Amino acid sequence: MKYLGLHDIRKEFLKFFESKGHLILPSFSLIPKNDKSLLLIGAGMAPMKKFFTGEEVPPAKRVTTSQKCIRTGDIDNVGITDRHATFFEMLGNFSFGDYFKKEVIPWAWEFLTVNLEIAKEDLWVTVYHEDDEAYNIWKDVIGVPEERIVRLGKEDNFWELEVGPSGPCSEIYVDRGPEYGSDDERPGGEGERFIEVWNLVFTQFDKDEAGNYNPLSHPNIDTGMGLERIATVLQKTDNIFEIDAIKDIIKRISEVSGTEYGKDDKLDISFRVITDHIRAMTFMISDTIVPSNEGRGYVLRRLIRRAARHGRKLGIKKAFLSEIADLVIDSWGVEYKELVENKDSIKEIIRREEEKFLETIEQGLVRLNSHIEELKENKKNTLAGKDAFKLYDTYGFPIDLTEEILKEEGFKVDMAAFDEEMNIQKERARSAREDSNIGWSNQEDKNLFEGLSNEFLGYEVDSCDAKIIKIISNNEEVESLSEGEEGIVVLDRTPFYGESGGQVGDTGFIYNDDFKLEVIDTKKTKDELHLHIVKVVEGQATKTKVKAEVDYKRRNNIRRNHSVTHLLHKALKEVLGSHVSQAGSLVMEDRMRFDFSHFEAMTKEEIEKVEARVNEKIFEALPVKTTITDIDKAKEMGAIGLFEDKYHDVVRVLSMGDYSTELCGGTHVKNTSEISMFKILSESGISNGVRRIESITGPAVYNYLNSLKSEQEEIASELKSNKDEIVQKVKANVKSLKEATKEIERLEHDLAKDQISGITDSVKEVNGIQYVTSKFENVDVNTLRDLADEVRNKVGSVVVLFATVNDGKLNFVCAVSKDLVAKKISAGNIIKEVAKVAGGGGGGRPDMATAGAKNIDKIDEALDTLTKLL
Ligand code: SER
């Protein structure tokens, strides 16, 4: 067996399959693209599902990758065992309708036995029990003895996700020898002796949501070999934490914590948790995921917080994770360049999240401990879901952390109730989700437009001659549309932009001498067919020659608003960091909004800086250039944008001077100076980790300035001031208002005081207890309390009960002197009974209490209760 380092195995694998005619693709992002069935990529084939089903054309029929993967199903076991991990890399080779079993099996064998020099006698294989073809290839072509080919059922040898490409598979195992288990052990069992290293999937089906296995038109190959797993075999280590590159992480943690690995089983768990989670978090952030309370962001938050807590178990007091991330970036960055490119923001995001967590963890722990005490006292063993949710929501305790800590003490969480609270919150976040940019389609329309296409001229011109080739009314093809009717019109060529990429559709007119159509909106189908939603304003529309004319004034504003998204995107990256990436946008005539990933609200200074930067680039009058090119060139040009959906397409790269280069299909200005001016109107959060900027350009800024001006004039006239002095005038007014309010309060107090001088003379007595009652008007509760206090001081031994009606609200105040409190007369109890009479409630201390009530007409009756109570 050959000893190879982790990073060398990856290289060797890709090179091997390149030599077998495969195209090496870089790992896809951990964020699935256009796939709602997955939260994170967890297998090499997951980002390529559409190549298997034929929905998309792959860049080559043979592809090989090392794919970064996250699987969180076993997160609770990570660290506790030395086998589980959330982050791993999957080596794979894929055939999209090209080669099949008789090629892939010999290649896998060759790679393991020749390149990695694993002894043939140590290799076992399993096949799907009905798959004689694979069985025979292993037996006859490769020559594996029959006793080392095991037939297994669907549970073991059929690979599938919830939905999508699936099929029978064949797995390759390495026998680790008798020191790991008895000779009776077989692959696929529970024992430790056989370790599965490679899964060859013969992808023949597309499983749908109903669970049907629909045969694919051509069979495919999908293989997956866990990189870390094969490294443990080659490096003869017992577990993934002893592999070369991963061992370095443990060493770094050991240095930072001053604790040694391998000395204490409990502490070793913490070492392993951090070692696994640090790789997961580094790669996730590098793929633009930011910590949040939802979806992927929550997975990330959980990983960071879990790792942070285990750092404390190792005795580390301060934030340390970003320092460990450094090592991951340096080591894995050789293969994954994005780690190096995003180094600063990766470290910054980890540091902030960890520090934030450390700030609250103490408070949260105190709270959790008091819950634990309560549970013990009440002899209960389950923490209420809403308490667990509060810990999660307010103190940032991931639920698994709460569970973990409770479990250590023998308690659990009411998870059903917790989930319910969580769902409520998720629903809130979901409604704020970004707009999708999928093409316009309507099931019924699909057939109507089949086979049609049209040329889009709108990048170059605002109007052109064209021919109407189809007219639709109420989902049916028609020959004509009469005056007043609405419908859909297809042209052979069009300058109208169809809503897509966040840019709204064009409006305008389609006309000739006989009729005139108003274009209310333009949509685009998935097949790029432009559909004009029209209303006939004159004549009868037929399939003839026409002139198509976009409302160019509106279009110009849309252009300004679209072009400025590019400047804004770049400026945000400059000011906030490279982690910022576009999450959605809406480009309209009168304004635009831009959603982007960022973990906190922008400060006023940051907003000003971004706005200033964008305007600077407008004033520099940068030329805007479109280059139509292929994906590799676009990357060379440094273009940002979603590359992964666009392997085989030609792409449009839009550059603005040297400042911004971005993939884009929208319509744009020819020079940034046409944008005229840019103004941010608001910055807000729309869901966790996603912010939104709303802004205006050009004429809208001019209108905005005008409305500010008239507002200013209106204020000036109200203030009877001149425009230039309004700020001083407002300040002066606020000041005198404050003084006047104080004066009113003082006068009211004096007035009430006058009233109480009479009150002290009206002391009554019952059962040897002195008391006074009185009614006030327009005296607030605080003042009333002072007055009650004053009366109590003056009289000495007394119960004071006051009522006041203020702004239509009734309030009571009760004060009891110390000697009477000692005799168990309580203001709190009195006020409760008194307020009850007037339909209210309240309470307080034994010496002073207040209450509110509704029934003002019961005021006397309520005050009279005091005598009875005493
Ligand atoms: N899809 C299979 C797996 O994940 C093989 O790549 O194991």
Side-chain angles (χ1 to χ4, degrees):
M1 198 147 37
K2 202 182 210 167
Y3 179 96
L4 277 180
L6 188 79
H7 301 316
D8 295 327
I9 301 171
R10 188 192 300 114
K11 237 185 255 155
E12 187 74 24
F13 181 90
L14 297 174
K15 225 174 58 203
F16 176 82
F17 280 101
E18 191 175 40
S19 80
K20 305 289 182 201
H22 290 64
L23 173 69
I24 303 178
L25 287 184
S27 172
F28 290 80
S29 165
L30 283 165
I31 306 177
K33 288 270 140 50
N34 299 330
D35 184 353
K36 296 232 163 69
S37 72
L38 297 175
L39 189 63
L40 288 158
I41 294 299
M45 57 75 71
M48 291 191 259
K49 281 183 187 172
K50 290 195 172 133
F51 298 158
F52 286 106
T53 57
E55 274 169 84
E56 275 178 22
V57 186
K61 285 191 156 184
R62 298 178 180 189
V63 161
T64 181
T65 59
S66 172
Q67 174 64 45
K68 33 193 177 182
C69 295
I70 301 247
R71 287 188 190 174
T72 53
D74 279 328
I75 188 168
D76 292 336
N77 278 325
V78 172
I80 296 180
T81 75
D82 52 20
R83 293 201 175 272
H84 291 91
T86 54
F87 178 84
F88 63 98
E89 287 171 75
M90 191 180 278
L91 303 170
N93 55 293
F94 308 93
S95 154
F96 307 112
D98 191 39
Y99 59 82
F100 203 46
K101 295 180 194 175
K102 71 182 194 325
E103 288 85 3
V104 73
I105 291 176
W107 285 340
W109 189 257
E110 181 187 340
F111 182 71
L112 294 176
T113 58
V114 179
N115 295 65
L116 302 186
E117 298 172 14
I118 299 176
K120 289 179 183 154
E121 312 77 71
D122 292 341
L123 293 175
W124 287 58
V125 297
T126 64
V127 296
Y128 184 54
H129 63 111
E130 288 170 1
D131 192 352
D132 292 334
E133 190 188 357
Y135 187 94
N136 290 334
I137 297 174
W138 283 118
K139 178 167 81 69
D140 301 331
V141 181
I142 307 294
V144 178
E146 280 187 84
E147 63 274 18
R148 283 200 267 123
I149 310 175
V150 184
R151 288 183 191 258
L152 292 173
K154 191 170 174 213
E155 197 142 290
D156 292 286
N157 277 55
F158 193 93
W159 201 88
E160 59 189 330
L161 289 167
E162 293 271 302
V163 288
S166 54
C169 61
S170 178
E171 295 182 324
I172 308 175
Y173 284 76
V174 174
D175 177 4
R176 300 203 288 167
E179 61 272 36
Y180 287 94
S182 84
D183 286 343
D184 304 330
E185 223 178 83
R186 288 290 171 269
E190 292 293 301
E192 296 277 302
R193 179 161 172 168
F194 292 94
I195 174 164
E196 183 221 319
V197 293
W198 204 342
N199 186 9
L200 316 178
V201 186
F202 313 125
T203 314
Q204 285 160 283
F205 304 108
D206 185 12
K207 187 182 170 192
D208 61 28
E209 262 151 28
N212 303 314
Y213 294 95
N214 306 305
L216 288 165
S217 59
H218 50 70
N220 306 287
I221 291 294
D222 149 35
T223 88
M225 172 151 65
L227 173 61
E228 295 80 355
R229 183 81 68 83
I230 190 72
T232 60
V233 173
L234 297 185
Q235 299 185 9
K236 296 206 175 67
T237 67
D238 272 349
N239 67 68
I240 56 171
F241 297 96
E242 288 168 19
I243 300 167
D244 60 335
I246 297 179
K247 215 159 55 184
D248 294 342
I249 305 178
I250 296 220
K251 208 168 123 217
R252 178 68 65 89
I253 300 169
S254 188
E255 284 160 12
V256 173
S257 65
T259 320
E260 237 181 287
Y261 181 64
K263 289 274 178 303
D264 175 328
D265 285 349
K266 263 208 162 141
L267 295 185
D268 285 356
I269 293 178
S270 298
F271 269 101
R272 290 191 291 259
V273 168
I274 300 165
T275 302
D276 170 75
H277 290 7
I278 194 76
R279 283 197 303 153
M281 67 180 85
T282 304
F283 276 92
M284 286 174 86
I285 298 171
S286 155
D287 280 347
T288 73
I289 300 170
V290 289
S292 76
N293 283 340
E294 212 216 355
R296 292 181 273 274
Y298 181 58
V299 174
L300 174 60
R301 171 157 285 169
R302 227 175 123 174
L303 291 166
I304 298 178
R305 298 192 164 192
R306 198 161 184 259
R309 175 168 178 260
H310 280 277
R312 289 169 68 80
K313 288 194 164 190
L314 294 179
I316 303 169
K317 293 270 180 305
K318 53 181 191 6
F320 74 106
L321 291 171
S322 66
E323 197 182 327
I324 312 289
D326 244 338
L327 182 89
V328 175
I329 295 166
D330 291 344
S331 180
W332 274 262
V334 179
E335 185 61 34
Y336 296 96
K337 298 272 179 284
E338 67 270 25
L339 296 180
V340 182
E341 279 160 21
N342 299 320
K343 183 170 181 160
D344 292 343
S345 50
I346 293 172
K347 291 180 63 182
E348 176 70 5
I349 290 171
I350 293 178
R351 190 183 56 75
R352 278 180 197 239
E353 180 68 14
E354 188 181 11
E355 278 174 358
K356 201 155 78 182
F357 180 57
L358 293 182
E359 268 167 31
T360 53
I361 189 173
E362 284 303 339
Q363 270 177 293
L365 276 175
V366 169
R367 203 180 162 93
L368 182 53
N369 284 334
S370 82
H371 285 315
I372 291 175
E373 287 312 312
E374 266 168 46
L375 290 175
K376 279 182 187 162
E377 243 169 61
N378 300 331
K379 302 217 172 357
K380 285 193 183 145
N381 70 348
T382 311
L383 180 70
K386 82 175 184 329
D387 292 335
F389 187 76
K390 174 103 184 166
L391 277 165
Y392 155 80
D393 202 37
T394 312
Y395 298 96
F397 265 56
I399 185 67
D400 72 323
L401 188 55
T402 304
E403 275 191 299
E404 217 171 283
I405 296 171
L406 283 173
K407 204 162 137 196
E408 286 165 12
E409 303 263 349
F411 298 100
K412 58 184 186 186
V413 181
D414 180 350
M415 280 310 292
F418 174 83
D419 288 342
E420 203 167 298
E421 299 279 343
M422 193 74 180
N423 281 339
I424 297 170
Q425 201 193 53
K426 274 196 190 141
E427 208 38 63
R428 237 178 287 136
R430 192 162 299 138
S431 54
R433 200 59 61 73
E434 65 188 60
D435 307 272
S436 71
N437 281 336
I438 315 164
W440 196 65
S441 82
N442 176 325
Q443 212 46 39
E444 280 178 275
D445 295 331
K446 231 174 154 178
N447 300 330
L448 286 173
F449 302 123
E450 208 143 273
L452 292 182
S453 69
N454 50 24
E455 198 186 349
F456 175 61
L457 302 178
Y459 290 126
E460 292 87 26
V461 295
D462 294 338
S463 71
C464 71
D465 291 326
K467 198 173 166 253
I468 296 182
I469 54 173
K470 195 156 224 171
I471 306 175
I472 309 287
S473 168
N474 292 323
N475 279 319
E476 266 174 40
E477 178 166 13
V478 292
E479 288 309 307
S480 65
L481 280 180
S482 316
E483 201 165 303
E485 272 190 315
E486 289 186 17
I488 298 173
V489 155
V490 183
L491 303 177
D492 60 343
R493 55 215 295 261
T494 181
F496 284 82
Y497 184 86
E499 177 186 340
S500 56
Q503 179 177 329
V504 293
D506 278 333
T507 62
F509 290 99
I510 295 172
Y511 61 92
N512 60 22
D513 291 342
D514 303 324
F515 60 85
K516 186 172 184 182
L517 305 174
E518 185 184 349
V519 179
I520 302 159
D521 198 359
T522 310
K523 306 275 188 190
K524 205 163 76 175
T525 67
K526 277 194 181 140
D527 303 324
E528 306 272 312
L529 184 73
H530 290 73
L531 307 176
H532 308 87
I533 319 291
V534 299
K535 185 175 177 169
V536 187
V537 285
E538 250 174 62
Q540 179 164 6
T542 52
K543 291 194 234 168
T544 51
K545 285 190 178 154
V546 287
K547 183 134 189 129
E549 212 169 84
V550 170
D551 177 347
Y552 73 92
K553 233 165 119 186
R554 177 174 178 273
R555 164 76 91 75
N556 277 344
N557 286 331
I558 294 171
R559 279 192 187 110
R560 289 186 179 97
N561 284 332
H562 200 152
S563 296
V564 92
T565 63
H566 291 217
L567 295 179
L568 175 62
H569 193 180
K570 181 63 192 278
L572 285 168
K573 277 183 186 286
E574 282 180 341
V575 174
L576 301 178
S578 57
H579 62 279
V580 167
S581 79
Q582 181 168 354
S585 67
L586 181 62
V587 174
M588 295 180 287
E589 181 190 6
D590 57 340
R591 73 204 140 93
M592 76 87 167
R593 71 177 199 224
F594 187 83
D595 299 342
F596 58 101
S597 53
H598 184 52
F599 37 82
E600 60 189 2
M602 288 173 75
T603 63
K604 192 166 158 273
E605 290 73 32
E606 284 168 343
I607 294 172
E608 282 168 5
K609 225 168 160 178
V610 165
E611 190 180 88
R613 188 77 176 138
V614 171
N615 279 304
E616 199 180 306
K617 293 296 155 190
I618 293 171
F619 303 148
E620 276 174 21
L622 303 173
V624 176
K625 223 178 78 200
T626 308
T627 314
I628 298 176
T629 181
D630 59 45
I631 207 75
D632 291 332
K633 278 267 167 47
K635 279 186 181 168
E636 256 169 52
M637 293 168 75
I640 51 175
L642 294 177
F643 279 96
E644 282 168 18
D645 305 334
K646 306 196 167 103
Y647 278 114
H648 37 89
D649 295 342
V650 286
V651 291
R652 298 177 67 84
V653 178
L654 199 89
S655 56
M656 300 184 174
D658 289 336
Y659 188 60
S660 146
T661 312
E662 202 169 313
L663 295 187
C664 188
T667 58
H668 288 274
V669 297
K670 297 210 163 23
N671 187 294
T672 58
S673 62
E674 289 171 42
I675 302 169
S676 313
M677 196 179 270
F678 170 69
K679 184 79 200 150
I680 294 178
L681 296 182
S682 70
E683 191 272 352
S684 59
I686 54 163
S687 68
N688 282 297
V690 182
R691 313 289 311 168
R692 170 171 294 173
I693 281 180
E694 298 204 71
S695 62
I696 49 177
T697 55
V701 180
Y702 177 70
N703 293 340
Y704 175 73
L705 288 176
N706 277 340
S707 75
L708 283 186
K709 186 168 166 249
S710 42
E711 218 172 270
Q712 202 183 39
E713 280 163 0
E714 196 181 331
I715 295 170
S717 112
E718 287 291 325
L719 287 171
K720 306 223 173 346
S721 143
N722 141 350
K723 211 160 84 266
D724 304 325
E725 284 164 4
I726 53 176
V727 176
Q728 273 145 309
K729 189 87 189 221
V730 166
K731 276 184 182 160
N733 279 1
V734 168
K735 196 168 159 227
S736 65
L737 190 64
K738 243 189 217 153
E739 283 165 5
T741 313
K742 249 197 207 137
E743 182 63 12
I744 291 170
E745 271 169 19
R746 199 182 56 76
L747 290 173
E748 272 174 353
H749 198 258
D750 287 353
L751 216 63
K753 236 176 173 172
D754 282 350
Q755 213 174 334
I756 61 165
S757 63
I759 291 171
T760 44
D761 301 335
S762 64
V763 176
K764 288 181 218 144
E765 202 179 301
V766 62
N767 278 340
I769 305 163
Q770 297 198 89
Y771 71 95
V772 279
T773 58
S774 186
K775 286 187 288 183
F776 295 80
E777 251 174 67
N778 294 330
V779 177
D780 67 76
V781 180
N782 286 339
T783 310
L784 200 65
R785 208 185 286 145
D786 291 346
L787 296 177
D789 196 33
E790 237 163 87
V791 171
R792 180 171 56 181
N793 290 341
K794 251 187 191 162
V795 181
S797 173
V798 70
V799 175
V800 183
L801 178 64
F802 288 165
T804 174
V805 178
N806 202 8
D807 279 341
K809 271 182 277 169
L810 171 59
N811 282 291
F812 295 100
V813 168
C814 179
V816 177
S817 58
K818 264 204 192 109
D819 59 316
L820 296 179
V821 170
K823 287 187 185 152
K824 296 267 172 297
I825 295 179
S826 157
N829 292 344
I830 292 172
I831 207 93
K832 223 181 276 164
E833 296 303 321
V834 170
K836 212 196 271 169
V837 176
R845 301 189 317 249
D847 62 335
M848 177 69 78
T850 55
K854 287 186 297 234
N855 305 332
I856 296 177
D857 47 344
K858 290 274 170 72
I859 192 165
D860 291 319
E861 199 182 313
L863 289 176
D864 287 346
T865 358
L866 181 64
T867 335
K868 272 176 249 153
L869 286 170
L870 291 177

